[in-house]
Amino acid sequence: MSQSRRTLNTLIRLGRALREDAQSPEATQSPLRAAGQAAAARVTPTLQDAAGRLRAGAQGLRDQVQARADDRLERLITERHPGGPSDPEARAVLARRREAREARAAQAQARAGLLAQAQTPEQRQVLGLVAAVTPWAGGEPGEVRYTTLLDRLAPGGDPAREMAIHRALWTLAERQVLAVSPHGVVTAPQPRPPLALPPS
């Protein structure tokens, strides 16, 4: 029997074994299946983390392009009207665009500050998902539940992975970076500005 024929037969046998393993009643205890779930549990959060970084980078580029366009528009208007644009509507449009740009920059800074609170990769993943639904950190308004975080960050149900996510959540909650409601909603309270000392 040729080498290629033996290789083909081996692959066919391996394919059958994998198929039978997935269909067997003991599939949940199968070491092969457990290894696959563990690999999925590790890969999924890594991909989510990378996707989050790509989204943040793309938003940063969009903001830079818009800031340059706004600066150019303001320069053109100022060159035409050295004392400032005479049209109140043009002034109002420029002011609104500047405020929106400053608000986005403040949100990006707030998001970076929130993510900087992470001390472990699991904490960073948890904070990334919470930041995505936190408007003051540049996220879309929404909510994320404790169970959703576990499903997203420990999809294979791996006990060690789940424990790492539990630990990350509760460490962040103890440090008051996150809050968990009695209904299991996880939020990031907006940091309070430092209190000013009274003048002496």
Side-chain angles (χ1 to χ4, degrees):
M1 186 183 291
S2 69
Q3 179 67 31
S4 58
R5 182 80 176 159
R6 272 198 300 271
T7 304
L8 181 60
N9 286 340
T10 303
L11 288 172
I12 290 170
R13 280 197 300 274
L14 180 59
R16 272 196 211 117
L18 287 171
R19 216 172 17 257
E20 288 165 7
D21 179 70
Q23 293 167 355
S24 70
E26 298 83 17
T28 52
Q29 287 86 26
S30 162
L32 193 59
R33 187 179 180 92
Q37 288 177 340
R42 286 189 183 89
V43 169
T44 303
T46 305
L47 290 175
Q48 289 170 347
D49 206 24
R53 285 196 300 271
L54 284 173
R55 275 195 301 273
Q59 184 60 53
L61 286 174
R62 280 195 296 272
D63 288 347
Q64 287 175 14
V65 169
Q66 184 160 5
R68 282 198 296 270
D70 287 354
D71 288 344
R72 183 169 166 69
L73 182 62
E74 286 181 38
R75 260 199 325 275
L76 286 171
I77 291 173
T78 305
E79 285 168 6
R80 287 190 180 181
H81 307 279
S86 55
D87 183 2
E89 193 175 328
R91 281 200 304 271
V93 167
L94 285 174
R96 279 198 303 273
R97 287 171 71 105
R98 193 177 303 114
E99 284 169 14
R101 192 168 66 239
E102 288 168 0
R104 283 194 305 273
Q107 287 174 343
Q109 190 173 3
R111 177 187 168 84
L114 178 61
L115 295 178
Q117 299 291 321
Q119 295 172 340
T120 66
E122 289 82 10
Q123 288 180 15
R124 184 172 177 79
Q125 290 162 357
V126 167
L127 288 174
L129 290 177
V130 174
V133 294
T134 304
W136 63 261
E140 295 295 321
E143 67 174 32
V144 62
R145 293 185 175 275
Y146 197 109
T147 51
T148 306
L149 286 172
L150 284 175
D151 290 344
R152 294 277 301 276
L153 298 176
D158 175 43
R161 178 73 187 158
E162 281 194 2
M163 186 51 67
I165 301 303
H166 281 299
R167 195 177 303 113
L169 272 161
W170 287 111
T171 302
L172 290 166
E174 284 168 4
R175 289 169 43 210
Q176 298 182 340
V177 177
L178 295 180
V180 183
S181 79
H183 303 293
V185 177
V186 182
T187 55
Q190 189 163 8
R192 294 184 188 139
L195 294 173
L197 294 173
S200 54

